[in-house]
Amino acid sequence: MTGRASIDGYLLGEPYPSNFHREFSPAWIDAVLRCRGLVPPRAPRAVFRLLDLGCGDGFGLIVLAAAYPEAEFVGVDALEAHIQSAADTAARLGLANIRFRCERFADIAPEASAFDYVTGQGVIAWISPDNRRHVFRIAGEALKPGGIACFGYNAMPGWKDVIPLQRLIRELAGGEGPAWQRFRSALAQCRSIAEAGAASLHPEWPEWLEKQVETLPQAYFPHEYLNDNWSPLWSADVRDGMAAYGCAYFGNARRDRLREDFCLTTAQRARIAALAEAPRETAADLFVNASFRIDMFGRDVPPAPEPLDARLDSWWAATADEAEADYTLQTPAGTLRFDNAAAHAILHGLARGPNTLRSIHATGAAGTAADVLNASDALFAGGHIIPAEPAAGTPRAAPVNAEIAARIGAGAHLGVQVGPHGALALPSATVTAAHDGDDQARAVLARLGIL
Ligand SMILES: C[S@@+](CC[C@H](N)C(=O)[O-])C[C@H]1O[C@@H](n2cnc3c(N)ncnc32)[C@H](O)[C@@H]1O
């Protein structure tokens, strides 16, 4: 990324790092919808189409294409280097169910009502208001009735203290030269300005960013801090943006917002209970100081006729071992404790591989169906179980898994493997160890049904 070439203020140059964002997999979106009593866009393992807007180097979409051979994926991005890399990787890995297009949002006229899912991670809060409207337009037009659009974005109020820092970095980094160097030098200047006593720039924020520099990929920072239109959004504005294209809000797909009673205190919930949905969500964001949201929108998304059955029939995989799991979760509302028979029975039941909650309920060890669903919500919120799919043949899983391991080896921040039960997120260190033959790591993969 040298110089200031941009698309409407979005810098061109160094590609964005490869990513896999688990919340944008169909299994995850469907699981959250089921938890909310809604019908997902497709029956498990039915044919579907997914459009990803601002797909970056497309690697996350490639992982999904390997996990869902029955589906068709389309990735769009304006940066030629992204699309070239995405198309080359997909061809090299032998994936025939994915296409990439190099296009700007303003120029996209999507096939109407053609997609079951439209996703956009890390896009709408990084682009101009006009381009944001184009993303909403494309999603509104492209979605089938009953389909879901899912956008991940930097949210207010969580970024309120970082906005002055981003602003100053962007202005200080405005010259010529490699973006990374401009960013580093601007951050150093911000630090000394903050240390001189700036009322709206506390030294803790440049320090916080310096710490991130030690752990996150270099290429992330120019995209986050040097773009002209970077602007954390209020959820009500995103909601209004999608409403203009006929789509209603269907909830936040983050696991830490799965249930209000998990993340808000009784007093907080009582105070906002009578509010309309939008201000209530804003108040909830204020209660938890939300800094990132993953919002789902759609048109004609029906309530599930048998919500309890739909949830019992859903598939899950365990990321934790029953004996070693921590059955507590710290949330903004306090400590959630779920060291109960149902939670143990679920982890026990998933120890030999992914399965349905119904199979666990049928053992009789987990209590009532309501006990099973409550425990599965807590285990999901706590990261001990993740949504999975019924088994299917995934012929391109092996080359894609090897590619993930190779990219991790080369420094990528990726944590996922593909198996018969879907694209399942796990720590990158576990992926590396499993590929190196470590028995414990291989046992983790076996529990996810991957080996
Ligand atoms: C922060 S990156 C996120 C990439 C990817 N979704 C991910 O999460 O890894 C934002 C992406 O939006 C793309 N983008 C920015 N402006 C665009 C435009 N006007 N039209 C199409 N793509 C655009 C960029 O090239 C970049 O790949």
Side-chain angles (χ1 to χ4, degrees):
M1 225 184 244
T2 54
R4 306 276 298 153
S6 79
I7 301 170
D8 303 335
Y10 195 100
L11 285 182
L12 298 172
E14 195 180 315
Y16 198 64
S18 300
N19 279 309
F20 172 78
H21 301 285
R22 59 192 176 189
E23 295 88 350
F24 296 83
S25 80
W28 186 290
I29 294 171
D30 293 2
V32 177
L33 291 169
R34 276 189 215 101
C35 288
R36 296 182 187 285
L38 297 163
V39 176
R42 56 163 192 142
R45 290 299 181 191
V47 171
F48 68 88
R49 296 182 82 206
L50 185 152
L51 170 66
D52 189 33
L53 299 171
C55 63
D57 78 353
F59 195 66
L61 210 55
I62 286 171
V63 170
L64 290 181
Y68 294 93
E70 72 273 22
E72 187 190 324
F73 295 82
V74 180
V76 185
D77 200 281
L79 186 56
E80 238 176 81
H82 280 159
I83 294 304
Q84 192 61 55
S85 155
D88 290 350
T89 307
R92 179 163 53 77
L93 297 174
L95 292 160
N97 59 336
I98 188 162
R99 280 184 296 129
F100 289 101
R101 288 178 9 203
C102 189
E103 265 184 290
R104 297 179 181 205
F105 299 136
D107 300 330
I108 297 174
E111 221 179 306
S113 301
F115 289 90
D116 303 275
Y117 302 88
V118 176
T119 53
Q121 156 64 0
V123 175
I124 60 172
W126 285 257
I127 54 179
S128 68
D130 273 351
N131 276 315
R132 190 153 51 244
R133 269 189 291 279
H134 281 299
V135 168
F136 295 151
R137 168 188 60 80
I138 298 162
E141 288 173 12
L143 271 186
K144 288 180 185 172
I148 287 289
C150 190
F151 298 119
Y153 60 95
N154 284 346
M156 289 294 279
W159 284 85
K160 65 185 184 311
D161 296 321
V162 186
I163 288 174
L165 176 64
Q166 197 274 353
R167 176 76 207 193
L168 192 54
I169 289 178
R170 183 158 61 79
E171 289 191 16
L172 290 168
E176 293 295 314
W180 168 247
Q181 282 170 20
R182 290 191 280 122
F183 165 76
R184 287 297 281 146
S185 131
L187 176 55
Q189 290 182 68
C190 283
R191 193 168 182 159
S192 68
I193 289 169
E195 281 164 1
S200 51
L201 182 56
H202 192 275
E204 85 176 78
W205 292 108
E207 273 167 33
W208 164 83
L209 191 49
E210 291 280 4
K211 283 204 187 81
Q212 290 204 337
V213 166
E214 287 163 22
T215 53
L216 295 177
Q218 266 190 21
Y220 157 80
F221 295 95
H223 287 259
E224 192 77 86
Y225 289 92
L226 303 193
N227 278 320
D228 292 351
N229 292 300
W230 179 92
S231 173
L233 303 171
W234 290 98
S235 65
D237 293 339
V238 178
R239 186 188 292 243
D240 287 349
M242 281 302 282
Y245 295 97
C247 292
Y249 171 72
F250 285 102
N252 186 334
R254 285 178 60 109
R255 64 180 159 89
D256 59 1
R257 297 294 286 273
L258 188 68
R259 283 176 44 164
E260 250 184 17
D261 60 335
F262 287 178
C263 63
L264 303 184
T265 64
T266 310
Q268 288 169 336
R269 280 183 282 131
R271 182 59 196 86
I272 64 174
L275 300 182
E277 207 190 20
R280 176 184 167 131
E281 199 62 21
T282 299
D285 284 344
L286 295 175
F287 283 138
V288 303
N289 195 28
S291 59
F292 201 83
R293 291 184 58 101
I294 302 176
D295 288 349
M296 301 183 295
F297 298 92
R299 194 184 292 117
D300 304 329
V301 177
E306 303 289 350
L308 194 134
D309 281 329
R311 296 196 57 200
L312 284 176
D313 287 331
S314 62
W315 283 75
W316 294 85
T319 56
D321 178 80
E322 186 202 350
E324 288 163 16
D326 176 2
Y327 294 85
T328 63
L329 175 65
Q330 303 306 322
T331 85
T335 305
L336 181 67
R337 296 177 202 284
F338 47 97
D339 194 359
N340 56 47
H344 278 270
I346 291 171
L347 289 187
H348 184 77
L350 299 179
R352 284 186 306 281
N355 215 322
T356 61
L357 294 179
R358 192 179 292 285
S359 73
I360 290 153
H361 184 228
T363 63
T368 65
D371 293 336
V372 175
L373 299 184
N374 265 323
S376 73
D377 284 349
L379 290 164
F380 181 28
H384 298 340
I385 61 171
I386 49 176
E389 297 283 347
T394 46
R396 305 315 299 159
V400 169
N401 287 342
E403 176 76 13
I404 293 165
R407 288 188 183 216
I408 293 171
H413 288 233
L414 284 168
V416 60
Q417 290 284 269
V418 175
H421 293 281
L424 298 169
L426 70 166
S428 54
T430 309
V431 176
T432 306
H435 280 259
D436 289 345
D438 177 85
D439 285 343
Q440 243 179 327
R442 288 175 67 80
V444 172
L445 262 66
R447 199 168 53 220
L448 298 174
I450 289 163
L451 290 178

